[in-house]
């Protein structure tokens, strides 16, 4: 009988650890599937209970060198959302503690390393400063009579560095004992060997002083490796700290997803009373009320009321959907207009939002960890170096060199092969690469994301908010009456649409206001659900709606006018028909416009031989129209969030390396399931937290820059690793004494330390070359593609030159919902191109494509229910 179970695994520090645990548990009899998640320190297993049990599984983890335990019954009984909330809180605390611990380690390491270098090389240090050495240094450290003080002081200064970085030794030697050496093993062996050699040298100095052997004292006083041990640990800690900083804060995707669900719901009792209860108490078949502006708490069916629902968070459809009795509503969507009474159909973990939470969790857990290149190399390099050191010791012993020469040469082999350059090869290049990305508005969360992005063969794009602006606007106004120009058409259309709260009304009203039109008052207003609206303006009867409504009102359209409607619809636009009295007046088309950078980005991806797929919850007609305009290879339309995630998995099963680019909550599972998830910076927090790379400027062309940067960084890392091994291939034979018989050359410790430092400097210098990386520039292609992309880039540059920004301080924002409402209100203001909210600072940073008055911005926020304190 097959059984699924989840375990907590402790002691894992890198991807090599998680892969080793997975490998060991997979070997067990009856084991069908093992998934180890390094981020959550957990392991999900499926096994045959008849041949395997919990004790055997835990034993296998312990044999691998790690701790394990079954999640407690209390944890298993909690709902998925509660469990994730607890894990998220634990992660935040753990992240804070780790950050503080890393800062202490870094500070102690650097302070004592500097003191250690001053003592060990005091004569060179003060000579370099062109200063005489202090008398205290001369009395304590100069001459053979002070050799023991000189050596022991260095030993004492090295101890704090060893202590604060003891984790390298604990993990490194543990993985080594289990025959699975990783980066920590290299660090532990390199610094440990240097420390051991230094202690050995202290004993030899003591022996020389006791027996009057001046030559022995002089030799070992200049043959200490304490500074090498300190430098190895300090420099590696610098690299680890910089890498940790580049990763940023721990992902909060699950927590932010759960924040979308309202904490309370309004239950409609059998007596007809409205009662506010916690959402989790809402049961199937309960009736609940959704008021205008509120979030739908669970999935249900409308039983009373008419309204429009903003489902963009779930489906990606930018235009709100009208709802009437019998229609379904989905959790975490927003009721835009009227009061609705709904019957609960799916509650708790069955809701659409809960399914998205689960999909994000599963996709993150099952994402195969990318083993770091240095960790893979360590598996071969560490045993090899240890073997060479052992052979060196034996050869010198059998050759008659004596124990001292054999020991000295063997430890020298370990010291010269210290992994400083090897350890810095990856984190320094990643640090510089992520810095370059940030400078260009591309935030890369981890080295794994950089490594994966270089192999991308297929890019999957969401439509709404990614390819398009995500905000409907009026695109066409076609008039059929001579006495009505475009502005008058807009004014009358806005007048009768404004009271309707129809999904297209906002776009029409905004366009009229943008053109400075006075909107006439409307009388005798009436709305016909699913058809249109009517009302009197300036004494005349006006009608606005779809073709069926026009026919019901006795207004006929010519074949030419119907053809124009069909043409607009074929372009993915929504036509609104306007009539006055008995005559047809105009067609107003509304659509979600394509971003300026989309055409250039898709052309650029084609030039890189990357397949482009558009995956959207929007309707097929609109999706096909966008496909034709942008020359997209494949389009998959009308998909739900879980279907998006399935499509990503299907593409991956075909052997493709897939990047998903999206901006909405509905994209979160797909972003997590892709090899690389790329979020648009203007998108939702959930999408951003689920992604590996964030495009802060919300330009698709930056995705190309991210892929090119990834390739440049990995190429740089390989160059660094090559240099590290080239250095070792020369240094190890020299340390082993291979050249001694023929040339009398043996490794001088000072030269060894200098060579080690130079190798590190070379690696850092090579990584810094990445700062010259140039972002993707359109117009580098050939022929027509070049002219098209160059034209698009010119337009982008013109827009950027016009960009201006304002910062608004807002009172009354208390949670993520508040910032979301304010952001939405501001983004609906014409001329606003981007809004960055900060709940902590109670502020909104607003990017503008043209001058927008403070009064208009303030009015938008005030209407949303918040108070503007200051605009600057």
């Amino acid at each position: 009988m097959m059984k699924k179970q989840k375990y907590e695994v402790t002691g894992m520090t890198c991807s090599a650890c998680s892969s080793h645990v997975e490998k060991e548990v997979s070997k067990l009899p009856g084991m069908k599937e093992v998934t180890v998640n390094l981020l959550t320190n957990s392991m999900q297993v499926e096994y045959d209970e008849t041949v395997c049990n919990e004790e055997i599984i835990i034993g296998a983890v312990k044999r691998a060198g790690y701790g394990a335990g079954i999640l407690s019954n209390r944890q298993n009984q909690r709902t998925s959302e509660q469990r994730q909330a607890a894990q998220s809180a634990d992660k935040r605390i753990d992240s804070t503690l780790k950050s503080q611990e890393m800062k202490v380690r870094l500070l102690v390491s650097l302070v004592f390393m500097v003191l250690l270098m001053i003592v060990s090389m005091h004569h060179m240090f003060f000579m370099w400063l062109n200063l005489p050495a202090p008398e205290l240094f001369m009395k304590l450290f100069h001459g053979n009579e002070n050799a023991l003080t000189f050596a022991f002081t260095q030993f004492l200064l090295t101890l704090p560095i060893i202590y604060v970085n003891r984790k390298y030794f604990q993990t490194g030697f543990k993985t080594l004992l289990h025959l699975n050496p990783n980066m920590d093993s290299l660090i532990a062996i390199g610094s440990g060997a240097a420390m051991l050699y230094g202690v050995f040298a202290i004993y030899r100095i003591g022996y020389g002083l006791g027996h009057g052997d001046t030559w022995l004292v002089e030799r070992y006083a200049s043959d200490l490796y304490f500074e090498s041990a300190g430098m190895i640990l300090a420099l590696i800690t610098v690299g680890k700290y910089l890498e940790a900083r580049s990763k940023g804060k721990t992902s909060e995707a699950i927590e932010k997803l759960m924040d979308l669900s309202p904490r309370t719901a309004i239950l409609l009792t059998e007596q007809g009373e409205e009662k506010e209860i916690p959402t989790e108490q809402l049961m199937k078949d309960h009736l609940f009320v959704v008021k205008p502006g509120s979030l739908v708490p669970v999935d249900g069916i409308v039983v009373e009321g008419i309204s429009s629902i903003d489902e963009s968070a779930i489906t990606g459809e930018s235009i709100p959907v009208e709802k009437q009795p019998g229609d379904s509503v989905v959790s975490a969507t927003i009721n835009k207009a009227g009061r609705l009474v709904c019957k609960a159909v799916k509650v708790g973990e069955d809701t659409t939002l809960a399914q998205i939470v689960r999909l994000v969790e599963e996709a993150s857990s099952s994402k195969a960890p990318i083993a770091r290149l240095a960790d893979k190399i360590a598996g071969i390099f560490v045993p090899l170096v240890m073997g060479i050191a052992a052979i060196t010791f034996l050869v010198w012993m059998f050759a008659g060199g004596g124990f001292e020469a054999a020991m000295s040469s063997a430890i020298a082999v370990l010291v010269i092969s210290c992994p400083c350059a090897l350890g810095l090869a990856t984190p320094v290049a990643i640090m510089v690469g992520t810095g370059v990305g940030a400078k260009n508005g591309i935030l890369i969360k981890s080295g794994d994301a950089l490594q994966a992005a270089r192999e991308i063969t297929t890019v999957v794009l969401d439509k709404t908010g990614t390819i398009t602006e995500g905000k409907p606007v009026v695109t066409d106004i076609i008039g059929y009456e001579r006495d009505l120009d475009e502005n008058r058409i807009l004014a009358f259309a806005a007048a009768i649409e404004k009271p309707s709260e129809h999904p297209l009304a906002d776009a029409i009203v905004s366009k009229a206001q943008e053109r400075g039109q006075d909107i006439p008052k409307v009388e005798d207003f009436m709305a016909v659900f699913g058809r249109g609206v009517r009302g009197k303006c300036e004494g005349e009867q006006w009608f606005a709606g779809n073709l069926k409504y026009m026919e019901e009102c006795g207004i006929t359209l010519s074949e030419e006018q119907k053809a124009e409607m069909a043409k607009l619809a074929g372009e993915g636009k929504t036509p609104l028909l306007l009539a006055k009295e008995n005559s047809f007046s105009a067609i107003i088309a509304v659509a979600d416009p394509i971003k300026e950078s989309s055409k250039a980005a898709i052309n650029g991806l084609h030039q890189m031989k990357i397949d482009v797929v558009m995956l959207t919850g929007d309707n097929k007609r609109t999706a096909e129209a966008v496909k034709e305009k942008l020359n997209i290879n494949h389009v998959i339309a009308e998909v739900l969030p879980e279907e998006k995630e399935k499509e990503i998995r299907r593409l991956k099963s075909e052997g493709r390396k897939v990047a998903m680019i999206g901006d909405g909550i509905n994209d979160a599972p797909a972003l997590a399931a892709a090899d690389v998830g790329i979020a648009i910076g203007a998108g939702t927090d959930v999408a951003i937290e689920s992604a590996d790379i964030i495009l802060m400027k919300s330009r698709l062309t930056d995705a190309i820059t991210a892929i090119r940067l990834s390739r440049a960084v990995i190429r740089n890392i390989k160059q660094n690793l090559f240099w590290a091994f080239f250095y070792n291939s020369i240094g190890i034979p020299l340390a082993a004494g291979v050249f001694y018989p023929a040339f009398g050359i043996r490794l001088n410790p000072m030269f060894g330390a200098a060579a080690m430092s130079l190798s590190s400097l070379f690696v850092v210098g090579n990584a810094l070359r990445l700062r010259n990386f140039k972002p993707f520039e359109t117009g580098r292609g050939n022929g027509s593609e070049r002219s098209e992309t160059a034209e698009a880039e010119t337009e982008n540059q013109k827009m950027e030159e016009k960009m201006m920004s304002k910062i608004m301080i807002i009172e009354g924002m208390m949670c993520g919902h508040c910032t979301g409402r304010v952001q939405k209100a501001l983004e609906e203001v014409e001329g606003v191109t981007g809004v960055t909210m900060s709940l902590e600072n109670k502020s909104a940073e607003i990017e503008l494509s043209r001058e927008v008055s403070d009064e208009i911005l303030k009015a938008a926020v005030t209407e949303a229910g918040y108070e503007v304190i200051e605009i600057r």
Side-chain angles (χ1 to χ4, degrees), residues 194-492:
M195 194 71 175
L196 181 62
Y197 186 90
V199 172
F200 172 72
I202 288 176
Y203 276 97
R204 298 302 291 159
I205 290 170
Y207 179 86
L209 288 172
H211 292 79
D213 191 339
T214 307
W215 177 83
L216 191 67
V217 173
E218 285 181 356
R219 178 188 169 186
Y220 281 101
S222 61
D223 203 9
L224 297 166
Y225 267 109
F226 291 120
E227 78 281 359
S228 296
M231 185 180 288
I232 291 169
L233 293 169
L235 290 179
I236 293 291
T237 301
V238 170
K240 291 277 187 182
Y241 176 75
L242 293 173
E243 186 180 13
R245 279 192 63 190
S246 73
K247 288 180 180 179
K249 63 180 181 179
T250 305
S251 175
E252 297 173 349
I254 304 296
E255 183 187 6
K256 289 183 181 296
L257 272 172
M258 290 186 300
D259 281 345
L260 292 169
S261 178
R263 299 286 181 238
T264 60
I266 300 175
L267 175 69
L268 190 63
T269 66
E270 293 180 358
Q271 293 75 32
E273 297 175 355
E274 294 183 4
K275 181 182 178 183
E276 189 173 289
I277 62 170
T279 301
E280 57 265 26
Q281 292 182 12
L282 202 60
M283 300 298 171
K284 187 177 179 182
D285 294 332
H286 275 174
L287 293 180
F288 61 91
V289 176
V290 187
K291 294 181 178 180
S294 299
L295 290 163
V296 179
V298 297
D299 294 7
I301 295 174
V302 178
V303 295
E304 182 185 314
I306 294 173
S307 183
S308 60
I309 299 282
D310 182 353
E311 297 183 342
S312 59
I314 301 298
T315 66
E317 171 68 66
S318 54
I319 297 174
V321 180
E322 293 180 340
K323 299 290 181 182
Q324 60 183 340
D327 290 340
S328 61
V329 291
V330 179
S331 57
T333 55
I334 303 171
N335 183 14
K336 298 285 287 183
R339 175 182 180 271
L340 294 177
V341 177
C342 307
K343 179 181 178 181
V345 175
K346 292 181 179 179
V347 297
E349 294 187 3
D350 295 326
T351 65
T352 301
L353 180 64
Q355 289 174 21
I356 295 175
V357 170
R358 189 176 66 252
L359 286 168
V360 172
E361 179 189 12
E362 289 175 356
S364 299
S365 298
S366 61
K367 188 184 289 185
I370 302 169
R372 301 198 185 282
L373 203 50
D375 278 337
K376 290 181 178 179
I377 292 166
I380 302 169
F381 181 67
V382 173
L384 183 65
V385 168
M386 293 181 70
I388 293 171
I391 291 169
T392 299
F393 179 82
L394 293 173
V395 168
W396 275 96
M397 286 293 289
F398 287 124
F403 176 79
E404 186 177 307
M407 184 70 175
S408 174
S409 297
I411 293 180
V413 166
L414 293 174
V415 172
I416 195 67
S417 61
C418 73
C420 196
L422 187 60
L424 288 172
T426 302
V428 171
I430 288 173
M431 181 270 294
V432 177
T434 51
V436 170
K439 181 181 176 182
N440 289 284
I442 302 166
L443 300 186
I444 302 165
K445 289 189 175 181
S446 69
D448 285 353
L450 267 177
Q451 189 168 340
R454 65 183 286 267
E455 300 169 349
I456 293 303
T457 58
T458 301
V459 169
V460 179
L461 302 170
D462 172 52
K463 182 187 78 70
T464 306
T466 302
I467 294 176
T468 65
E469 296 289 352
K471 178 184 174 183
V473 297
V474 173
T475 57
D476 302 85
I477 302 172
I478 303 167
Y480 294 101
E481 293 196 39
R482 290 183 181 178
D483 61 336
L484 288 175
D485 60 13
E486 284 192 3
N487 290 337
R488 294 290 290 162
I489 290 170
L490 266 177
F492 286 115

Side-chain angles (χ1 to χ4, degrees), residues 707-732:
I707 295 171
R708 289 180 60 247
L709 178 62
S710 162
R711 294 174 179 177
V713 170
I714 299 304
R715 185 166 56 246
N716 189 276
I717 289 173
K718 289 182 177 179
Q719 292 167 353
N720 289 345
L721 291 171
F722 169 79
W723 170 252
F725 281 104
F726 176 74
Y727 154 77
N728 280 302
S729 66
I730 295 173
I732 290 174

